[in-house]
Amino acid sequence: MGSLSHVISPKLILPHLNSRRSYGLSKSNSRTLISTRAAKKVRVFAEIKNQSSSSKKEINFSDPDWKTKFQKEFEERFNIPHITDIFEDDVSIPSTFCLKMRTPITEAFAAGYPSDEEWHGYINNNDRVLLKTIYYSSPRSAGAECIDPNCTWVEQWVHRAGPREKIYFKPEEVKAAIVTCGGLCPGLNDVIRHIVITLEIYGVKKIVGIPFGYRGFSDKELTEMPLSRKVVQNIHLSGGSLLGVSRGGPSISDIVDSLEERGINMLFVLGGNGTHAGANGIHNECRKRRLKVVVVGVPKTIDNDILLMDKTFGFDTAVEEAQRAINSAYIEAHSAYHGIGVVKLMGRSSGFIAMHASLASGQIDICLIPEVPFNLHGPHGVLTHLKYLIETKGSAVICVAEGAGQNFVQKTNATDASGNAVLGDIGVHIQQEIKKYFKGIDVHADVKYIDPTYMIRACRANASDGILCTVLGQNAVHGAFAGYSGITVGICNTHYVYLPIPEVISYPRLVDRNSRMWHRCLTSTGQPDFL
C-alpha cells in the first residue's frame, strides 16, 4: 500500500499438499504411523502456527503439560487490546446503549446516563466462543486440522462480540470516523449505515466519513463527509461505497497526525488484509503516542480469504451473482456445436468463490483454483479432459479463479498500490489454449469467455450479506465503546467475535484441498486430477 507497505506483512502462500511428496515426522513421534497426507497436514498446520505470531514458541509434544501451555499461550495471543492497557486509571461508565430506553441522549441526561441493569442484552467480558468445533479423531480425517500428530483435542476460545454494560467513552466526547479501503465489495454501504445508526443510538453526534480510503487523511482536496442516520438511511439500496475507495495512502505517522488534528477518537476501518495491517499500525502508533483512540476493523474481502472466520461480507453476494455468468456460459456452450464456456471469477490466492459458485450452479464441468495445481496439456491435462467432455457431452463449462494457473502466464513483476502482485489473465490464456488445442487436433470448438468481476463487485448486497453487514457494523461500534482497539469483528461458528488483528492477517485463508467442501465440488463437477 505505497508508504503503508512497511507495516504490511507479506502474504504467505501455503505449500500445496501434493500427494507425490512426503514429509517425515520427528523421531519422538515415529511410533505414530500416519499417512503421508496426514503428515503434511500436521506440518502445514505447524507452519501456520509458527508464523501467525512472532511471540509463539515451538511446541514440545514430549512435554506432558504441552496442552496446558498451548492453551495459555493461545489465550495470550487472542487477548484483545484495551485502552486500560495504556490508561490504567480510566474509569468506565454505564452504557448509553439500552434497547429498553429509546429516548435520545440529550443535555437532560447531563447528571447521568440512562441504563437498565435489568435488561439482559449485554455481553459479559468473559463470554467466549469456541474457535474449533469438530473433534478430529485422526489426522487422516477429511479437512482435519491437528495441533499434534495424535490430533489431540484442545479447546480454543475467542472473545464474544456485543454491547457491554460498561463503556469507556462519553458519547458527547466522541468523534467517530469511517474509512473504506481497497476495492469495491457488495455490502460496504450496509456496514457504513449500521455503524452510523449504532453510534447515534449510543448518543454520538459527531460522525464523519473519510473519502477514498487512507488517501483521504492526507489529500487536502478531500474533505471529511458529515454522516448521520438521515444521510445513510437508504445507501444500502445501491452498491459501491458512499465514501469511495482507493488503494495505498500516506504513512502511518501522517494518518495518526491527521486523527489528532481532526479530534477523531474512534476509527472504523473497512478493508482486507492490507487495510487491516494498516489499521493495526495506526492502533500501535496511537498507543505509542498515548492517544485515547480506538481502531476497529471490519474485514472486507470478496474472496473470503480472512483467517478464522466463517465468511466475510460480500462473499455470498459474489457467489450468487456469479451464477448469472455461469448460466450464460452454460447456455452459450450448450447452444453451440462443440461449445465451451469459460468463466473467470475473483480469487487471487483463494478459490472460495469459484468453488462455491461451481457447487451452487451444478453446471460446471471443471473448476480450477489457486490452491490446486493442474496441467493444461498432457494425457492428464485440462485440455485432454475437455476433448473427452466434447466427445461425450457435446459441450463443457470451465470456472477458473483469477489466481489459478499463474505458472502458465507471463509474470509482470508489477504490483498495485496495495502491494499485491498484478496477475496474468489466466482466463484469456485458457481461452486461447483451448482454441489452439482443438484447432491442432482438427476438431471444431466454439469458445466463449466471460469475466463478470466488476459487475459482481459493484452490485448491491443480497439478503444474507445484508444481515451479516448489519451485525458486523453494530458489533464494531459495541467493541469501540467497550474500549477495545486493534481488533476486528467477524463471525466464527455462527457467533460474532472480536479477534486481534495480527491473528487474522498472518496469511490468506486458503481452500484446503483435503476438505469436505472441495471434495463436494469435485463430486459435483466430476473432474479428474489434472496432474
Side-chain angles (χ1 to χ4, degrees):
M1 285 183 57
S3 54
L4 284 175
S5 58
H6 63 285
V7 298
I8 300 176
S9 302
K11 292 185 177 181
L12 169 67
I13 304 301
L14 296 183
H16 296 298
L17 300 185
N18 190 326
S19 60
R20 298 182 183 183
R21 298 177 58 192
S22 63
Y23 302 97
L25 296 175
S26 62
K27 292 182 179 179
S28 61
N29 296 319
S30 59
R31 60 185 176 84
T32 305
L33 298 178
I34 58 178
S35 70
T36 300
R37 175 169 291 187
K40 286 180 287 183
K41 188 74 176 178
V42 171
R43 183 185 182 217
V44 169
F45 194 76
E47 289 173 358
I48 291 172
K49 293 194 277 91
N50 288 337
Q51 296 183 46
S52 64
S53 173
S54 59
S55 62
K56 291 199 67 182
K57 299 177 182 177
E58 195 169 330
I59 302 173
N60 178 14
F61 295 119
S62 63
D63 183 349
D65 297 324
W66 75 263
K67 182 177 175 181
T68 302
K69 292 177 180 178
F70 176 88
Q71 288 177 314
K72 182 179 179 181
E73 185 209 349
F74 182 89
E75 290 175 6
E76 292 174 353
R77 283 170 46 216
F78 283 81
N79 180 45
I80 51 181
H82 195 271
I83 58 172
T84 54
D85 298 339
I86 303 298
F87 302 96
E88 297 178 1
D89 298 328
D90 210 12
V91 179
S92 63
I93 61 174
S95 178
T96 55
F97 180 87
C98 180
L99 297 181
K100 289 185 70 175
M101 169 61 73
R102 305 305 297 161
T103 307
I105 304 298
T106 65
E107 294 179 0
F109 293 106
Y113 294 95
S115 184
D116 189 338
E117 296 182 359
E118 298 303 316
W119 182 58
H120 299 294
Y122 297 115
I123 299 297
N124 190 291
N125 283 337
N126 294 321
D127 285 359
R128 297 290 187 271
V129 173
L130 192 60
L131 186 63
K132 304 292 182 184
T133 57
I134 299 179
Y135 174 84
Y136 294 104
S137 61
S138 167
R140 299 180 64 180
S141 298
E145 294 181 355
C146 301
I147 297 170
D148 70 325
N150 294 319
C151 227
T152 305
W153 169 257
V154 180
E155 293 181 350
Q156 301 169 61
W157 301 92
V158 292
H159 293 252
R160 186 184 179 198
R164 267 56 175 176
E165 193 171 350
K166 301 292 183 181
I167 59 176
Y168 286 83
F169 288 88
K170 294 182 179 180
E172 68 272 17
E173 297 176 356
V174 169
K175 182 177 180 181
I178 307 170
V179 61
T180 56
C181 306
L184 288 180
C185 176
L188 278 170
N189 282 335
D190 301 65
V191 177
I192 294 169
R193 179 175 184 267
H194 275 278
I195 289 176
V196 172
I197 289 173
T198 311
L199 283 167
E200 287 199 349
I201 290 176
Y202 270 94
V204 178
K205 299 296 183 182
K206 292 177 286 187
I207 311 170
V208 298
I210 305 299
F212 299 105
Y214 287 133
R215 184 187 304 275
F217 284 108
S218 62
D219 194 326
K220 301 302 181 183
E221 296 182 359
L222 301 175
T223 57
E224 60 188 33
M225 179 188 298
L227 298 175
S228 65
R229 184 168 192 143
K230 185 176 181 180
V231 173
V232 303
Q233 186 61 46
N234 296 316
I235 63 172
H236 64 300
L237 301 179
S238 61
S241 169
L242 172 70
L243 306 178
V245 295
S246 73
R247 300 185 186 276
S251 68
I252 295 296
S253 180
D254 289 343
I255 292 176
V256 177
D257 287 343
S258 180
L259 291 176
E260 283 194 89
E261 292 170 7
R262 300 167 189 253
I264 293 169
N265 51 9
M266 279 189 187
L267 178 63
F268 300 95
V269 181
L270 283 59
N273 279 316
T275 300
H276 270 67
N280 194 56
I282 296 169
H283 157 74
N284 289 331
E285 181 66 16
C286 288
R287 284 192 149 204
K288 181 181 176 181
R289 300 189 190 186
R290 294 187 61 81
L291 301 177
K292 190 179 178 182
V293 177
V294 290
V295 183
V296 179
V298 181
K300 177 231 67 174
T301 167
I302 203 168
D303 291 349
N304 198 34
D305 62 350
I306 298 287
L307 289 174
L308 307 177
M309 299 180 187
D310 293 357
K311 62 180 177 180
T312 50
F313 75 84
F315 174 69
D316 276 353
T317 305
V319 172
E320 183 175 309
E321 287 298 313
Q323 303 307 299
R324 301 174 186 269
I326 291 173
N327 190 53
S328 296
Y330 172 80
I331 291 173
E332 285 283 355
H334 194 67
S335 301
Y337 176 63
H338 288 179
I340 298 173
V342 180
V343 180
K344 187 184 77 172
L345 298 176
M346 295 80 76
R348 294 185 59 86
S349 57
S350 306
F352 289 102
I353 293 179
M355 177 176 69
H356 283 256
S358 298
L359 265 171
S361 72
Q363 296 171 321
I364 297 297
D365 299 293
I366 299 173
C367 178
L368 304 174
I369 61 175
E371 296 88 341
V372 182
F374 59 90
N375 289 328
L376 279 176
H377 300 275
H380 302 291
V382 172
L383 298 175
T384 301
H385 186 59
L386 268 179
K387 177 175 177 288
Y388 167 77
L389 292 172
I390 291 299
E391 291 172 346
T392 56
K393 291 180 57 179
S395 63
V397 183
I398 301 174
C399 178
V400 57
E402 62 180 317
Q406 287 299 302
N407 54 307
F408 298 116
V409 295
Q410 185 175 1
K411 290 182 171 56
T412 63
N413 295 321
T415 57
D416 61 21
S418 296
N420 298 314
V422 176
L423 301 178
D425 196 329
I426 185 63
V428 170
H429 180 77
I430 287 179
Q431 177 196 30
Q432 294 172 345
E433 289 299 306
I434 292 172
K435 289 180 177 179
K436 289 180 188 177
Y437 174 77
F438 280 96
K439 185 177 181 180
I441 61 174
D442 198 25
V443 174
H444 174 78
D446 191 346
V447 187
K448 298 294 192 300
Y449 174 56
I450 299 176
D451 180 355
T453 298
Y454 292 102
M455 296 177 66
I456 293 174
R457 284 170 23 130
C459 69
R460 173 189 173 186
N462 65 9
S464 175
D465 272 327
I467 295 171
L468 178 59
C469 292
T470 296
V471 184
L472 291 176
Q474 291 175 356
N475 280 325
V477 177
H478 295 320
F481 265 99
Y484 297 121
S485 182
I487 64 168
T488 192
V489 59
I491 184 170
C492 176
N493 293 320
T494 72
H495 296 282
Y496 291 86
V497 299
Y498 295 134
L499 298 164
I501 291 177
E503 292 298 329
V504 300
I505 63 171
S506 304
Y507 50 89
R509 176 182 174 223
L510 304 178
V511 172
D512 178 1
R513 61 186 291 184
N514 190 45
S515 67
R516 286 295 301 124
M517 191 59 74
W518 178 242
H519 292 171
R520 292 170 187 134
C521 184
L522 296 180
T523 303
S524 174
T525 63
Q527 70 192 65
D529 184 355
F530 293 120
L531 285 176

